[in-house]
Amino acid sequence: MQQAILLDTPLNKYLQNHGVQIDLAKKQIHYKGEIYEIAKDYRGLAGRDSAEWVSFKLFEDYQINSFFSSENVLNYGGNVNENPEFLYNLAQLLKDGKIKYDWMNNNKKNAT
């Protein structure tokens, strides 16, 4: 996930176009003049707030493991066929659903 944010990828460009700057070294997200701290400690899955989910996805999660542990990867949730799962967590943190839905809407337009 960190590489997808740091390198020249569609996700990196998308975040830049939406004004989202993620500073992995400082564990901060800059968006619309606000700074969101994402230096959270791992406390397990239950009871995480949105900053903890974003932090987990960036610093703890190994995304491919979910597919290895699933009997049928087509049943995996998260709508990964529509948008990067990370965008859901980011939209929750930034309180801006547009972060998630613009990706989905743009991909639907490009598919037609």
Side-chain angles (χ1 to χ4, degrees):
M1 179 57 72
Q2 291 181 21
Q3 294 300 308
I5 288 169
L6 291 174
L7 299 177
D8 185 23
T9 64
L11 181 59
N12 175 296
K13 291 175 186 173
Y14 179 82
L15 294 173
Q16 286 180 20
N17 289 338
H18 282 74
V20 178
Q21 297 174 333
I22 300 176
D23 186 330
L24 294 171
K26 291 183 180 179
K27 295 189 176 183
Q28 295 178 335
I29 296 175
H30 299 253
Y31 182 66
K32 292 187 176 179
E34 299 289 327
I35 298 175
Y36 298 84
E37 299 291 336
I38 55 170
K40 302 285 185 172
D41 292 328
Y42 179 68
R43 298 184 306 150
L45 294 174
R48 283 191 189 151
D49 64 23
S50 55
E52 289 169 314
W53 272 110
V54 169
S55 179
F56 174 75
K57 295 286 173 92
L58 289 172
F59 302 108
E60 302 284 339
D61 196 14
Y62 299 95
Q63 292 81 10
I64 197 72
N65 292 352
S66 296
F67 297 109
F68 286 147
S69 65
S70 179
E71 287 185 29
N72 182 349
V73 296
L74 299 175
N75 292 334
Y76 180 78
N79 298 324
V80 295
N81 60 319
E82 296 178 346
N83 61 276
E85 189 174 288
F86 175 72
L87 291 180
Y88 169 80
N89 301 108
L90 186 61
Q92 293 284 314
L93 174 64
L94 304 178
K95 296 176 179 56
D96 188 347
K98 187 175 179 177
I99 297 294
K100 176 185 175 185
Y101 293 111
D102 278 356
W103 180 285
M104 291 169 40
N105 292 334
N106 288 339
N107 285 336
K108 286 178 185 175
K109 286 179 196 174
N110 293 335
T112 57

